[in-house]
Amino acid sequence: MATQSLLLFSCSFLLIFLSFSFEKSHALEGTKNMESHFHTLQLTSLLPSSSCNPTTKGKRGGASMEVVNSHGPCSKLNQEGAKASSMTEILAHDQARVDSIQARVTTQNYDLFRKKDKISNKNRAKDSKVNLPVQPGISIGTGNYIVTIGIGTPKKDLSLIFDTGSDLTWTQCQPCVKSCYAQLQPFFDPSSSSTYSNISCTSTACSGLKSATGNNPGCSSSNCIYGIQYGDSSFSLGFFAKDKLTLTPTDVFDGFMFGCGQNNRGLFGKTAGLIGLARDPLSIVSQTAAKFEKYFSYCLPTRRGTNGHLTFGNKNGAKSTIQFTPFTLSKGTSFYFIDVLGISVGGKALSISPMLFKNAGTIIDSGTVITRLPSTAYNNLRSTFQQFMTRYPRAPNLSLLDTCYNLSNYTSISIPKISFNFNGNTNVNLDPNGILLTNGVSQVCLAFAGNGDDDSTGIFGNVQQQTLEIVYDVAGEKLGFGYGGCS
């Protein structure tokens, strides 16, 4: 009898133990799964650094150049005492760029050459019908990344904004006519280059300016004149020319066509101009296609004091872990359109129809700071994010950013991961710096914004691209995403 009681007790104890162990293992697994959907990080990892700590990565294939954040400590433009833009100013200019991109998707009929503008010097860009009206174009904004290339013989190094939303590469040139903005480096002097020449008005290249700039070209003494107007009233006007382009000592291109601007104004910081990475025949991507096969990649660094890269070529050296999504129809523009299928927050797939993204269309853009989503999609993302962040006190809105937190009493935080699902079964997890934008520890904001409606074009901005390896296989009509691109 005693033996039976002992046996019954042992069996009961074993069942209780197994039940407890089962519940505990499931609880631990649930906790582990929950942790896998969150970033736990030091708050300082989101804040700008005051010192430059460039990465020391091994040699890349292709033609690779260093990229710096124009607002970060590695930018020489910041080191020269230039007044830093406030976050409010950056976001205001960013909205101007978004407005102009969305306008350009639907209409591209601008013409700068209308009124007379008499300039007598034969060495200056002149046209009998030059005018610079305020019209829709691509706003440069101020959330830009900078790369240095060489133009001319001997080579003149020029630090340019690089922009996947623009086609024409241009730089400020001597002599300056009317107005030029201050830049860190001396202006490019065409007369000092033995390989410089202006392009004729009657050339096929000159007529191609219409698609690259949105403006019909002008003509001055048989020389082709370009004009490009941006949405924030910035502009560049001058000779359409060609000269030697040097990307690296072994990657040199004769006869590179670019704008030699002699009348320039706008929000270009102290850079020397702009390098166009869109897909028009006059973009640098197309002009170097014989060698690089319209293949380039970049990594955009954060403001933490590291650098990134812009690399042309190296198609055969791409990481096997790169995930690709196909480009979609460009809607008559040279923008890079991609298909967003869905978004997940904290491991939870948001209830958003893929048709919402498809109807609006989405482009990836290196010059737009904050990702823009259809209104319905943004509202869903915002409310879900807020549900995961209830432990943290709210802070006032920051311009267009309406979900902000005061984290001044915290040294570490836990935030839900955000991932994008693109066509081609491509899932991209964003870096914490791609989720939150800081304006000091007392104002840390969700780095997304709504378009205000569901019809306007969405934009995958550069904050969300930070630290990712972004690969453009333009000839192959696909875009790639990888991790750790800057490290």
Side-chain angles (χ1 to χ4, degrees):
M1 187 71 175
T3 304
Q4 289 179 338
S5 298
L6 181 61
L7 183 61
L8 182 62
F9 175 79
S10 299
C11 290
S12 299
F13 178 79
L14 181 61
L15 286 172
I16 293 171
F17 176 78
L18 290 174
S19 176
F20 175 76
S21 299
F22 180 78
E23 291 176 2
K24 184 178 180 182
S25 66
H26 271 256
L28 290 173
E29 185 177 338
T31 301
K32 185 177 180 181
N33 286 339
M34 183 64 72
E35 289 177 349
S36 70
H37 297 311
F38 280 76
H39 292 291
T40 299
L41 59 146
Q42 295 296 307
L43 186 59
T44 53
S45 67
L46 298 174
L47 301 175
S49 174
S50 59
S51 60
C52 178
N53 302 295
T55 53
T56 55
K57 186 157 185 170
K59 179 175 174 59
R60 300 176 185 274
S64 191
M65 295 151 284
E66 181 184 90
V67 168
V68 298
N69 188 314
S70 62
H71 305 294
C74 293
S75 171
K76 293 181 180 179
L77 308 183
N78 274 351
Q79 297 167 8
E80 295 298 318
K83 181 181 179 295
S85 298
S86 70
M87 190 57 66
T88 300
E89 290 172 328
I90 291 172
L91 293 173
H93 293 308
D94 193 48
Q95 187 58 49
R97 179 180 177 89
V98 169
D99 291 342
S100 62
I101 285 175
Q102 293 171 343
R104 186 175 170 187
V105 168
T106 56
T107 176
Q108 292 185 294
N109 299 315
Y110 337 122
D111 192 353
L112 297 182
F113 301 99
R114 290 186 178 176
K115 292 186 178 179
K116 291 186 177 181
D117 186 5
K118 296 180 179 179
I119 304 171
S120 59
N121 192 320
K122 65 180 182 179
N123 293 320
R124 297 181 177 182
K126 59 183 179 178
D127 186 81
S128 60
K129 299 176 287 183
V130 172
N131 182 38
L132 297 168
V134 177
Q135 298 184 31
I138 293 298
S139 171
I140 288 301
T142 56
N144 303 303
Y145 288 86
I146 301 165
V147 68
T148 300
I149 64 171
I151 295 286
T153 306
K155 174 177 72 78
K156 170 71 176 176
D157 284 336
L158 301 168
S159 295
L160 307 176
I161 297 167
F162 85 83
D163 187 6
T164 59
S166 296
D167 293 293
L168 182 70
T169 297
W170 62 266
T171 186
Q172 294 197 108
C173 289
Q174 293 182 3
C176 180
V177 179
K178 279 198 168 183
S179 66
C180 289
Y181 61 87
Q183 68 178 53
L184 179 62
Q185 299 154 321
F187 290 179
F188 178 71
D189 184 357
S191 66
S192 68
S193 174
S194 62
T195 47
Y196 175 92
S197 63
N198 290 326
I199 293 173
S200 166
C201 294
T202 59
S203 67
T204 303
C206 184
S207 60
L209 280 171
K210 172 66 176 178
S211 63
T213 66
N215 296 293
N216 290 311
C219 192
S220 174
S221 302
S222 76
N223 294 314
C224 186
I225 304 296
Y226 81 94
I228 187 165
Q229 174 85 34
Y230 301 98
D232 53 13
S233 298
S234 300
F235 65 82
S236 179
L237 177 71
F239 286 115
F240 186 42
K242 57 184 178 180
D243 206 337
K244 183 176 289 186
L245 167 70
T246 301
L247 299 179
T248 73
T250 57
D251 296 287
V252 181
F253 300 85
D254 295 325
F256 176 70
M257 294 176 285
F258 69 105
C260 196
Q262 297 184 332
N263 188 5
N264 317 284
R265 183 177 66 204
L267 300 169
F268 305 106
K270 288 192 173 183
T271 66
L274 182 144
I275 181 169
L277 288 167
R279 43 184 170 183
D280 185 86
L282 289 179
S283 75
I284 192 171
V285 178
S286 297
Q287 290 195 60
T288 59
K291 183 169 187 178
F292 300 133
E293 300 178 285
K294 295 187 178 181
Y295 190 97
F296 69 97
S297 62
Y298 59 71
C299 179
L300 304 180
T302 69
R303 295 181 293 163
R304 290 291 298 157
T306 57
N307 52 21
H309 73 91
L310 170 64
T311 301
F312 290 93
N314 196 33
K315 183 174 183 178
N316 294 328
K319 297 178 183 177
S320 60
T321 53
I322 298 292
Q323 303 178 72
F324 284 96
T325 182
F327 288 127
T328 61
L329 296 177
S330 61
K331 298 187 178 182
T333 72
S334 57
F335 294 129
Y336 296 103
F337 276 84
I338 51 179
D339 270 340
V340 178
L341 300 183
I343 302 173
S344 294
V345 178
K348 176 184 177 183
L350 303 183
S351 180
I352 306 171
S353 169
M355 289 305 298
L356 181 69
F357 297 110
K358 190 172 184 65
N359 291 338
T362 302
I363 68 169
I364 183 169
D365 181 43
S366 68
T368 297
V369 180
I370 301 297
T371 287
R372 300 310 202 278
L373 299 171
S375 181
T376 298
Y378 173 68
N379 291 339
N380 198 328
L381 180 147
R382 175 182 59 188
S383 62
T384 305
F385 184 83
Q386 290 174 353
Q387 290 170 19
F388 285 117
M389 295 287 286
T390 53
R391 77 186 76 174
Y392 302 112
R394 294 291 296 271
N397 295 352
L398 175 61
S399 182
L400 53 86
L401 304 182
D402 60 9
T403 300
C404 302
Y405 299 90
N406 183 348
L407 303 178
S408 55
N409 292 327
Y410 297 84
T411 56
S412 65
I413 58 173
S414 181
I415 63 172
K417 293 181 178 180
I418 295 180
S419 63
F420 275 67
N421 177 232
F422 298 99
N423 189 16
N425 197 29
T426 296
N427 291 289
V428 179
N429 291 310
L430 304 183
D431 185 85
N433 282 279
I435 297 173
L436 294 174
L437 187 70
T438 64
N439 189 37
V441 294
S442 62
Q443 199 173 29
V444 181
C445 305
L446 178 64
F448 294 83
N451 270 331
D453 59 52
D454 287 341
D455 301 320
S456 299
T457 304
I459 303 173
F460 193 70
N462 63 39
V463 164
Q464 282 64 43
Q465 297 175 51
Q466 287 178 142
T467 75
L468 294 170
E469 182 80 0
I470 310 291
V471 179
Y472 291 73
D473 185 351
V474 183
E477 288 292 322
K478 58 186 179 179
L479 178 78
F481 294 92
Y483 299 109
C486 295
S487 60

